[in-house]
Amino acid sequence: MECKNCQSTLNGQQKFCSECGGKVIHYRLTLKHITSEFSAQFLNYDNKFLKTFFHLFTKPELVIQGYINGVRKKYINVIQYLAISLTLLGLQLFILNKFYPDFFNAVFTDLDSYLRVYPEEQRPQMEKFMTNYYTFINEYQSLIYVIGIPITALVTRLAFLKEKLFNFTEHIVLNTYITAQYVVFSFFTYLIFAIFNLNLNVLVTLSLLLYIFYYGFVFYKTHKLSVAAIILRFMLSIAIICAIFFIIAIIAAVVAIVYVKFFK
């Protein structure tokens, strides 16, 4: 008898392979077995998903620094957790668009009051721009989250450069866990707000505040800094983000000028 994963020789009594650790399956798959495995992986209190989810709120330093230091069995690894979060994000958007299509209308309702600050002749263009913007954000949320991870990792690496606790790759791990945790948490909160027909703009505001607080909390737990130091690093992070966008804006303006002058 051979292990299906690594082809090592097994005896008939083994439940796990001594070489790769894979579970030895002695039975044919049935719906009962699949249901049991799903329950063990995701519904059991002691499973890695729930443990990772709750500990990222209560003990984020154990999950994040544990992974960086080589812990792999206790919690879901960073790539798997990000994949789970993006899967839940896709499911969330499907449910909201399919069963609660009016949930996002609050954004466009408040858009009218926002447009009043512009001259009347500019409002149609701004309305079109904002509508396209919200549509883009809604359709490409997963891509935006993934692209944002290395950017935020660069920002936090520069903001916490003095501490020298994590390198850039480790900051990517830290920011990936934070992003994935926020997405998983948002999966439940958005569905609750949709089911009970609560205001989306209130949720967006609360989510932003909680996101900022959670970011600070994670760095407070991992870096062991004072609250004042975390606030200063947060202000520095905002300054770095503004500098990055300023540089991008200058580059975009230069490219636009060159294009208009020489290619149009």
Side-chain angles (χ1 to χ4, degrees):
M1 184 178 180
E2 291 186 345
C3 173
K4 305 297 183 182
N5 299 297
C6 66
Q7 285 72 51
S8 299
T9 302
L10 304 171
N11 62 55
Q13 305 301 319
Q14 286 182 257
K15 294 183 178 181
F16 296 91
C17 175
S18 58
E19 293 295 327
C20 69
K23 186 176 181 180
V24 179
I25 305 297
H26 295 285
Y27 49 80
R28 294 189 65 178
L29 284 178
T30 65
L31 183 60
K32 179 181 178 180
H33 292 136
I34 294 177
T35 304
S36 177
E37 289 189 8
F38 177 84
S39 176
Q41 288 291 324
F42 296 102
L43 302 180
N44 183 14
Y45 177 79
D46 197 36
N47 76 74
K48 289 200 294 185
F49 173 76
L50 288 179
K51 186 180 293 184
T52 303
F53 178 74
F54 287 120
H55 281 190
L56 277 172
F57 277 130
T58 59
K59 307 171 184 177
E61 72 279 9
L62 295 183
V63 181
I64 297 169
Q65 290 179 304
Y67 180 83
I68 291 173
N69 293 329
V71 177
R72 294 293 185 270
K73 293 292 186 180
K74 190 174 182 180
Y75 300 107
I76 297 177
N77 74 62
V78 65
I79 301 302
Q80 289 179 329
Y81 200 58
L82 177 63
I84 291 172
S85 71
L86 296 181
T87 300
L88 290 177
L89 175 61
L91 179 61
Q92 168 199 303
L93 293 175
F94 170 78
I95 293 173
L96 293 180
N97 290 321
K98 181 72 173 179
F99 301 104
Y100 303 95
D102 296 331
F103 181 63
F104 293 110
N105 287 347
V107 173
F108 299 102
T109 301
D110 288 356
L111 185 60
D112 294 333
S113 59
Y114 171 77
L115 291 173
R116 292 195 187 101
V117 302
Y118 292 93
E120 189 170 351
E121 62 274 10
Q122 294 182 7
R123 291 177 187 174
Q125 293 86 347
M126 287 304 302
E127 182 177 7
K128 182 179 179 181
F129 170 78
M130 295 302 295
T131 301
N132 291 337
Y133 169 78
Y134 285 123
T135 302
F136 176 84
I137 294 296
N138 187 40
E139 291 181 355
Y140 297 98
Q141 281 194 54
S142 297
L143 181 62
I144 293 170
Y145 281 124
V146 172
I147 293 176
I149 289 171
I151 297 175
T152 54
L154 175 62
V155 171
T156 55
R157 168 62 172 160
L158 294 175
F160 290 85
L161 190 61
K162 181 180 178 181
E163 283 68 31
K164 298 180 180 179
L165 182 62
F166 300 132
N167 60 32
F168 176 66
T169 302
E170 291 164 344
H171 271 274
I172 288 180
V173 170
L174 188 150
N175 280 273
T176 301
Y177 266 124
I178 292 175
T179 300
Q181 182 74 348
Y182 173 75
V183 174
V184 173
F185 180 73
S186 296
F187 170 78
F188 299 107
T189 54
Y190 270 72
L191 291 183
I192 291 172
F193 266 66
I195 291 170
F196 291 99
N197 196 28
L198 302 177
N199 190 283
L200 173 62
N201 291 302
V202 173
L203 174 59
V204 171
T205 302
L206 289 176
S207 296
L208 178 60
L209 294 175
L210 288 173
Y211 184 62
I212 293 172
F213 174 81
Y214 181 65
Y215 237 105
F217 174 72
V218 170
F219 278 91
Y220 171 78
K221 298 290 284 186
T222 55
H223 287 70
K224 309 300 181 184
L225 297 174
S226 66
V227 174
I230 292 295
I231 293 174
L232 288 174
R233 296 301 191 283
F234 175 72
M235 294 173 65
L236 179 58
S237 298
I238 293 177
I240 293 171
I241 292 173
C242 291
I244 290 174
F245 277 103
F246 181 71
I247 293 172
I248 293 174
I250 291 176
I251 295 173
V254 171
V255 171
I257 292 171
V258 171
Y259 174 77
V260 171
K261 188 171 183 179
F262 294 101
F263 298 99
K264 193 171 182 181

